[in-house]
Amino acid sequence: IQYRITDPWADPPGHEQFHTEKLIRLPHGFLCYAPPQDAPGVSPLPAQTNGYLTLGSFNVLAKTTPQVAALWADILTALPNARLLLKNRALADSATRERCHALFEARGIARERVELLDWLPSRKAHLDLYGRIDIALDTFPYNGTTTTCEALWMGVPVITLAGDRHAGRVGVSLLSRMDLTELIAQSPEEYVRLAVELAGDTDRLVQLRAGLRERMKNSGLCNAPAFTRDLEQAYREMWVKWCEQN
């Protein structure tokens, strides 16, 4: 394989040293998101009726490493009334649920503050669950992709931690393309701080929830024709180079 499709945020200048392929950076992002046509509407901010804030992640459970759990526990410690909602197919297993609870209990977070949910067969029911989350927390060093897009489409802001490789910078790419760089942390300490600060700003959460879907719809992230043109141009340049060398 001679090339790899990426963008300036997921693989900024200097990342060439980590790849044997030539990096082709699409100017407006390396992926495009097609929102589900059957997605439910964006719900009001749940914290306003619950009386407490809910953090959440629907990422693959393998991405919730002990290091991720430790930072999430730090956030919950700083927000003693907040709760955490995790959802993944792996949580159907009782032993897996126990291990997950143990990760947080070891850091002083009572199990009643961490709700664990199994896979749902309906995509609409899956997306409906975002109606219970105020802030989504991205995983690291392997970020979410579709999961992050779904959260944003459902009006839920996502806090991400910028990593040092492509898999850990997908969140940077997605949020930068939506002009949400204030949700990107550059260190673990900043990740906790951004989550805690946003949790304490109800007005900002309400504003984000009301506008994220429209902002995403109007961003390059959902502009399939423009994305296709960028990709076609990249293919053309690859082909021209091949012709010149053969």
Side-chain angles (χ1 to χ4, degrees), residues 45-157:
L45 187 72
Q48 290 186 302
T49 52
N50 290 337
Y52 57 85
L53 184 120
T54 303
L55 306 157
S57 172
F58 294 171
N59 280 286
V60 172
L61 193 62
K63 296 180 181 181
T64 304
T65 64
Q67 292 77 19
V68 171
L71 279 198
W72 291 356
D74 287 346
I75 296 169
L76 289 169
T77 299
L79 301 169
N81 294 322
R83 302 184 187 184
L84 179 65
L85 174 61
L86 304 181
K87 173 188 171 291
N88 185 252
R89 185 189 294 265
L91 293 170
D93 178 68
S94 59
T96 300
R97 291 196 302 273
E98 284 302 312
R99 286 196 298 272
C100 191
H101 277 304
L103 275 176
F104 291 96
E105 287 179 325
R107 293 166 175 82
I109 306 302
R111 66 174 50 208
E112 57 265 25
R113 295 183 65 194
V114 182
E115 185 176 357
L116 306 177
L117 297 179
D118 185 11
W119 175 80
L120 292 172
S122 162
R123 180 172 62 182
K124 183 178 183 301
H126 163 73
L127 294 174
D128 263 332
L129 278 177
Y130 282 104
R132 296 183 55 193
I133 295 177
D134 299 287
I135 301 172
L137 300 175
D138 199 4
T139 50
F140 60 88
Y142 199 133
N143 294 165
T145 305
T146 302
T147 307
T148 297
C149 289
E150 288 177 343
L152 294 169
W153 187 251
M154 295 307 300
V156 181

Side-chain angles (χ1 to χ4, degrees), residues 13 23 44 46 77 90 166 179-180 215 218 237:
L23 298 179
T77 299
H166 181 94
D179 195 25
L180 289 169
R215 181 190 292 216
N218 294 327
E237 292 172 5

